[in-house]
Amino acid sequence: APRQPPAPSGLASQGGGCGVASGRMTDTRRRVKVYTLNEDRQWDDRGTGHVSSCYVERLKGMSLLVRAESDGSLLLESKINPNTAYQKQQDTLIVWSEAENYDLALSFQEKAGCDEIWEKICQVQGKDPSVDITQDLVDESEEERFDDMSSPGLELPSCELSRLEEIAELVASSLPSPLRREKLALALENEGYIKKLLEIFHVCEDLENIEGLHHLYEIIKGIFLLNRTALFEVMFSEECIMDVIGCLEYDPSLSQSRKHREFLTKTAKFKEVIPISDPELKQKIHQTYRVQYIQDMVLPTPSVFEENMLSTLHSFIFFNKVEIVGMLQEDEKFLTDLFAQLTDEATDEEKRQELVNFLKEFCAFSQTLQPQNRDAFFKTLSNMGILPALEVILGMDDAQVRSAATDIFSYLVEYNPSMVREFVMQEAQQNDDDILLINLIIEHMICDTDPELGGAVLLMGLLRTLVDPENMLATANKTEKTEFLGFFYKHCMHVLTAPLLANTTEDKPSKDDFQTAQLLALILELLTFCVEHHTYHIKNYIINKDILRRVLVLMASKHAFLALCALRFKRKIIGLKDEFYNRYIMKSFLFEPVVKAFLNNGSRYNLMNSAIIEMFEFIRVEDIKSLTAHVIENYWKALEDVDYVQTFKGLKLRFEQQRERQDNPKLDSMRSILRNHRYRRDARTLEDEEEMWFNTDEDDMEDGEAVVPPSDKTKNDEDIMDPISKFMERKKQKEVLLKTNLSGRQSPSFKLSFSSGTKSNLTSQSSASNLPGSPGSPGSPGSPGSPGSVSKSTSQMAAITTK
């Protein structure tokens, strides 16, 4: 098929249609390309596949199916409608309209395939396959769909009151056909028809001719759907736009007409905060406001089919906004006056509010600009001193002004956080911390009066962007991360944490209302982000200011979401497995508030319960030795009765194994001996899991393949078994204690086996396992590990120790 088939008459065939033959053993006759006609009257290639015709139950009829040759997906599923006009062109093309404004075409690789599918279509419609069009096009409008563009234009009825119904029907009947829409639009342009229609509108209003006004509504709405810029230029001109809005007030589906013109002329007021000297700019602003109003308020919500038919209206508004921003940006006097009045203390509050609202809207308009134009826009604002101006505005008492200033600040941060960071670091050299821009933002976040803290959430997002190292620049001479984070922790962090520190002086929050809890949760969210991304800056701050202890006071809050935020903060710190943090946690006994919250939660199976258990499970699985010892030594009495999970008993087991290893250093020598290649069954290389077993503690050994099966005979057996025998003796001595700790289960026998299962298996830590060597036992090489299995007999143990 041609790469870009000509529109609108159809696709032209060029030497074999689809080109390259399929790599599969398939019938090339059925190989087709699927095309759809886009808004620009160009054909879009939807893919290559193989066409078939069959009965589709869902569509209740014979249908054309095209499956993609690449992956077999359905490219097309189209019912052969008895009334649809199918057209065969140039032996390898079949073209038809699937729905209003949706034309399809199949371009065949071979003529034979085209003839085959054409016969199927003609068979369904009861036509002779020798025809090129399956339907006799009765009315003129359908026939014109296939006319050449050079055919005569559309003849419009004379613009008279008595012929409004006829005009409305003509417009409605032209909308489904792209060609007729084109002709209608040209006719309306050439004859100045819109102005004539608006003259009739005045007559109808004077005569109170409601029927005529209803027809005019349909006509004007139809003209909007023609989607032509040239027509919009006329309709939105100064002399016509209010009459066009007037026509759209008389929707026949409404019992009463709307008062759009009254709103635009009386209610909506245009304020020039700074006088605009350019009349063209002023007219463009008026026009854009009114057209935006038509789009948002006057025109009915477009249907699915009409959505694309208003694309030119969207474009008209878009380009108007681009022009307005460009013209204002070039007017240096205007911008200079704007910023001078914004920062002038003599400016009254109402005037300042108008100025800030204007600047906010100006920034919102800039979002329509292309990236390079937006760069120039924000550069201009920066040169004009927008950040110092915002600092002045944010320091004022007027809440509305501050809110608008915050919105402007968000545009700047989202556009270029580095520009904002550079400014605040420079101003820190001249100003006190209290009036720094970032501190003003933090204060507004803390003082948000909205019960839902909508503004605070927005500001927290902006702060996170500013302190996010991911968007910080690094150059040869300096790194923004080092400089800015050093500045932030020195000048701003104390302002951010002030509400947290003020509220946690006792052993429970001094204020625990919902709004305070929400604010503290937001602050904790940002601090948790800092723990994850700021490494040593936040570490020094937390340890020096004892922040974690204060945060954990919030575990006593009545608001579960806040207690969970505090827990999440601690979990993030533990997740770093940093011994500086661990020593700080142990020294200050910072597991106490967590254990208290766990016990107070009781037996309730909720998020708090799961989150706390997960924290201890993480310590166990990751084998954080210092924290394991600290938890067991200080909190075991409180946790020993928790047996619905094996986490705490697993921690105890880890602790005891650590102690035993410390008491008997010879155990470590066993590992080094076992590493020697001579003592393995064969010459295979160490597997990853074996290597891991050798490098971890004894408690990591779980059921699975035996590392040293009893059948292996080596000359140094006594050397190996000596430490094992001693270990077994100590195990027997501890049997009574372990039985108690494991809630009456048998004590685990010494495991010389390990498993490929994950370390987080809760039951295998505390349950007994079979010894290796017995056929089919969980410890033997051929069988999988069995968590919780009971040891068979002590005779096996005796056999091993004797050996």
Side-chain angles (χ1 to χ4, degrees):
R3 190 166 291 171
Q4 188 60 65
S9 57
L11 295 151
S13 172
Q14 293 180 353
C18 286
V20 290
S22 170
R24 299 179 188 174
M25 293 296 290
T26 184
D27 186 357
T28 56
R29 289 182 308 167
R30 295 289 187 92
R31 195 161 182 261
V32 294
K33 268 190 183 293
V34 180
Y35 288 94
T36 57
L37 198 65
N38 65 25
E39 292 171 13
D40 302 324
R41 313 300 302 143
Q42 300 294 317
W43 289 100
D44 290 336
D45 182 352
R46 294 298 182 191
T48 304
H50 294 87
V51 64
S52 60
S53 62
C54 60
Y55 185 83
V56 175
E57 183 63 39
R58 187 173 60 79
L59 300 175
K60 300 280 188 285
M62 288 296 289
S63 304
L64 297 176
L65 305 179
V66 179
R67 292 199 175 273
E69 67 178 4
S70 57
D71 58 4
S73 61
L74 208 57
L75 292 178
L76 175 73
E77 184 182 52
S78 171
K79 181 181 175 183
I80 302 172
N81 197 311
N83 303 318
T84 296
Y86 290 83
Q87 185 180 23
K88 186 164 80 163
Q89 297 181 8
Q90 301 163 357
D91 293 336
T92 56
L93 280 169
I94 298 176
V95 184
W96 72 100
S97 284
E98 183 76 11
E100 290 183 7
N101 202 31
Y102 188 66
D103 292 4
L104 282 161
L106 294 179
S107 175
F108 288 77
Q109 181 167 335
E110 295 182 12
K111 177 179 183 297
C114 184
D115 291 343
E116 200 177 316
I117 295 298
W118 185 249
E119 282 178 22
K120 293 279 185 190
I121 292 169
C122 292
Q123 188 182 332
V124 170
Q125 295 202 344
K127 301 290 177 184
D128 185 337
S130 61
V131 299
D132 284 341
I133 300 175
T134 60
Q135 294 294 318
D136 296 325
L137 302 168
V138 279
D139 79 19
E140 215 173 284
S141 64
E142 285 297 316
E143 190 175 2
E144 278 172 359
R145 197 175 290 190
F146 303 103
D147 278 357
D148 187 69
M149 283 295 287
S150 59
S151 62
L154 199 68
E155 193 72 40
L156 288 169
S158 57
C159 196
E160 297 169 9
L161 181 57
S162 58
R163 304 192 71 175
L164 283 177
E165 187 174 359
E166 190 183 335
I167 298 166
E169 283 174 6
L170 175 67
V171 171
S173 66
S174 300
L175 289 175
S177 159
L179 185 60
R180 280 181 64 81
R181 287 213 312 270
E182 194 77 18
K183 290 183 174 180
L184 175 61
L186 285 170
L188 289 169
E189 280 174 52
N190 297 337
E191 297 177 28
Y193 209 79
I194 291 172
K195 288 186 179 176
K196 294 176 187 173
L197 285 170
L198 297 177
E199 285 170 14
I200 295 178
F201 167 68
H202 286 291
V203 173
C204 287
E205 275 213 315
D206 293 342
L207 298 173
E208 295 184 3
N209 183 340
I210 300 300
E211 190 184 351
L213 291 168
H214 285 169
H215 289 317
L216 279 164
Y217 170 88
E218 298 292 355
I219 294 165
I220 296 295
K221 182 190 164 194
I223 294 173
F224 267 98
L225 296 175
L226 292 176
N227 215 16
R228 291 281 289 211
T229 309
L231 295 178
F232 289 157
E233 296 284 0
V234 177
M235 293 164 78
F236 302 150
S237 64
E238 190 73 26
E239 55 180 317
C240 296
I241 190 164
M242 294 309 282
D243 291 338
V244 168
I245 292 169
C247 292
L248 293 171
E249 290 179 356
Y250 294 95
D251 185 346
S253 63
L254 301 173
S255 55
Q256 212 170 343
S257 64
R258 297 290 174 87
K259 305 289 183 192
H260 297 303
R261 285 169 295 173
E262 189 179 310
F263 172 81
L264 287 171
T265 51
K266 293 178 183 171
T267 312
K269 298 292 181 190
F270 177 66
K271 287 185 177 177
E272 289 182 73
V273 287
I274 305 284
I276 296 171
S277 51
D278 185 349
E280 188 190 344
L281 172 59
K282 201 182 289 190
Q283 192 273 326
K284 189 72 72 179
I285 291 170
H286 279 294
Q287 184 190 57
T288 307
Y289 176 77
R290 288 166 179 169
V291 177
Q292 185 93 54
Y293 182 82
I294 290 172
Q295 184 192 38
D296 296 342
M297 305 299 297
V298 182
L299 283 176
T301 307
S303 67
V304 176
F305 295 110
E306 292 171 348
E307 188 65 61
N308 291 334
M309 297 166 85
L310 289 172
S311 58
T312 309
L313 181 62
H314 299 311
S315 301
F316 188 93
I317 294 168
F318 176 87
F319 288 115
N320 260 20
K321 288 181 175 179
V322 170
E323 273 187 68
I324 290 167
V325 172
M327 291 162 89
L328 284 171
Q329 202 176 323
E330 288 162 17
D331 191 339
E332 280 191 25
K333 183 182 181 306
F334 179 87
L335 288 179
T336 310
D337 288 354
L338 173 68
F339 283 106
Q341 290 191 37
L342 261 177
T343 52
D344 187 353
E345 289 181 11
T347 307
D348 65 70
E349 280 188 19
E350 192 179 341
K351 176 73 170 174
R352 198 186 314 275
Q353 193 173 326
E354 288 170 0
L355 289 163
V356 174
N357 285 335
F358 168 81
L359 189 55
K360 174 183 160 184
E361 200 165 346
F362 192 32
C363 289
F365 269 37
S366 75
Q367 302 305 296
T368 59
L369 298 174
Q370 294 299 317
Q372 65 272 20
N373 296 344
R374 202 178 310 163
D375 284 351
F377 172 80
F378 280 111
K379 210 164 275 179
T380 304
L381 290 188
S382 181
N383 294 339
M384 288 285 175
I386 189 166
L387 286 164
L390 281 180
E391 201 167 54
V392 172
I393 299 162
L394 286 166
M396 292 177 180
D397 297 331
D398 191 324
Q400 282 183 303
V401 168
R402 289 203 311 265
S403 171
T406 303
D407 290 339
I408 297 165
F409 183 68
S410 72
Y411 284 120
L412 295 170
V413 171
E414 283 163 22
Y415 164 70
N416 190 345
S418 288
M419 178 178 81
V420 178
R421 284 193 282 260
E422 191 178 344
F423 168 76
V424 295
M425 282 192 288
Q426 284 172 356
E427 63 160 352
Q429 295 162 12
Q430 296 122 22
N431 298 338
D432 296 336
D433 286 0
D434 294 348
I435 58 169
L436 294 183
L437 181 58
I438 289 195
N439 287 346
L440 289 169
I441 292 294
I442 295 171
E443 281 170 24
H444 291 318
M445 183 192 87
I446 291 168
C447 303
D448 188 4
T449 52
D450 176 12
E452 296 297 323
L453 293 190
V457 172
L458 167 68
L459 293 171
M460 182 57 73
L462 298 179
L463 284 172
R464 178 182 287 206
T465 305
L466 286 173
V467 299
D468 187 354
E470 294 294 318
N471 62 46
M472 292 183 186
L473 307 171
T475 57
N477 6 329
K478 62 167 188 174
T479 59
E480 192 180 14
K481 179 179 175 181
T482 308
E483 288 194 6
F484 182 74
L485 292 183
F487 155 81
F488 184 79
Y489 280 88
K490 184 179 177 184
H491 297 280
C492 309
M493 189 53 113
H494 66 277
V495 184
L496 179 67
T497 54
L500 172 68
L501 297 175
N503 211 33
T504 53
T505 50
E506 307 295 328
D507 56 356
K508 61 178 187 177
S510 47
K511 275 183 77 181
D512 204 18
D513 58 281
F514 178 68
Q515 194 164 349
T516 305
Q518 270 198 309
L519 176 64
L520 294 178
L522 275 179
I523 293 169
L524 278 178
E525 196 179 312
L526 187 60
L527 289 176
T528 307
F529 177 84
C530 294
V531 166
E532 190 173 1
H533 293 90
H534 291 177
T535 58
Y536 66 90
H537 287 97
I538 188 73
K539 189 197 302 182
N540 292 340
Y541 189 80
I542 288 173
I543 294 173
N544 292 336
K545 301 282 184 185
D546 200 12
I547 295 292
L548 180 56
R549 186 176 64 80
R550 304 296 281 274
V551 166
L552 291 174
V553 169
L554 301 175
M555 293 286 293
S557 169
K558 66 182 180 188
H559 299 285
F561 70 87
L562 180 57
L564 285 163
C565 276
L567 185 64
R568 190 158 56 244
F569 179 69
K570 179 169 182 176
R571 173 65 177 81
K572 187 66 75 177
I573 289 173
I574 290 175
L576 297 175
K577 295 190 280 188
D578 183 316
E579 277 306 310
F580 281 103
Y581 276 132
N582 292 349
R583 282 199 293 273
Y584 161 59
I585 288 170
M586 293 184 296
K587 184 181 172 187
S588 302
F589 293 92
L590 294 179
F591 275 101
E592 192 170 315
V594 178
V595 172
K596 271 187 182 173
F598 183 64
L599 297 175
N600 289 339
N601 190 63
S603 58
R604 283 177 296 170
Y605 178 44
N606 55 15
L607 195 52
M608 179 64 74
N609 175 278
S610 299
I612 293 174
I613 289 172
E614 190 278 335
M615 179 190 288
F616 287 110
E617 182 65 13
F618 177 81
I619 294 168
R620 185 192 71 77
V621 169
E622 295 297 322
D623 192 17
I624 305 174
K625 295 179 175 56
S626 55
L627 294 185
T628 302
H630 176 74
V631 169
I632 296 303
E633 285 169 359
N634 294 285
Y635 308 106
W636 172 244
K637 287 290 178 198
L639 300 170
E640 64 179 328
D641 294 332
V642 179
D643 55 5
Y644 52 86
V645 288
Q646 298 304 311
T647 296
F648 301 108
K649 292 183 171 41
L651 268 177
K652 182 78 178 339
L653 195 58
R654 281 222 189 265
F655 171 67
E656 287 172 350
Q657 288 161 343
Q658 283 172 31
R659 291 285 288 273
E660 282 161 1
R661 190 169 54 253
Q662 287 163 9
D663 294 346
N664 189 357
K666 283 186 181 178
L667 277 175
D668 286 337
S669 66
M670 182 179 76
R671 289 197 211 151
S672 59
I673 295 169
L674 287 172
R675 277 203 188 88
N676 194 309
H677 287 270
R678 289 174 298 168
Y679 305 122
R680 286 188 289 102
R681 280 167 305 202
D682 52 42
R684 64 191 169 81
T685 57
L686 277 174
E687 292 177 1
D688 288 345
E689 287 172 329
E690 289 178 292
E691 188 67 38
M692 182 176 74
W693 184 82
F694 286 129
N695 288 328
T696 49
D697 303 321
E698 286 83 354
D699 55 291
D700 283 342
M701 299 185 293
E702 297 183 1
D703 303 322
E705 185 183 8
V707 178
V708 186
S711 58
D712 281 2
K713 295 211 176 347
T714 67
K715 58 185 176 182
N716 285 335
D717 274 356
E718 287 87 17
D719 295 345
I720 300 170
M721 296 318 297
D722 184 47
I724 295 178
S725 305
K726 289 177 181 173
F727 186 84
M728 291 307 301
E729 286 301 313
R730 284 197 311 279
K731 275 289 181 188
K732 286 176 182 175
Q733 288 165 15
K734 290 215 160 201
E735 207 164 49
V736 179
L737 172 66
L738 281 170
K739 274 183 183 177
T740 314
N741 289 347
L742 293 170
S743 307
R745 296 193 189 195
Q746 262 187 294
S747 64
S749 52
F750 172 58
K751 300 180 194 169
L752 195 60
S753 53
F754 71 98
S755 97
S756 58
T758 59
K759 289 187 189 175
S760 59
N761 188 328
L762 296 180
T763 52
S764 62
Q765 290 293 346
S766 57
S767 52
S769 68
N770 283 341
L771 287 163
S774 59
S777 74
S780 62
S783 69
S786 171
S789 56
V790 182
S791 76
K792 298 241 176 166
S793 72
T794 51
S795 63
Q796 290 173 318
M797 187 188 296
I800 280 235
T801 41
T802 310
K803 181 167 182 268

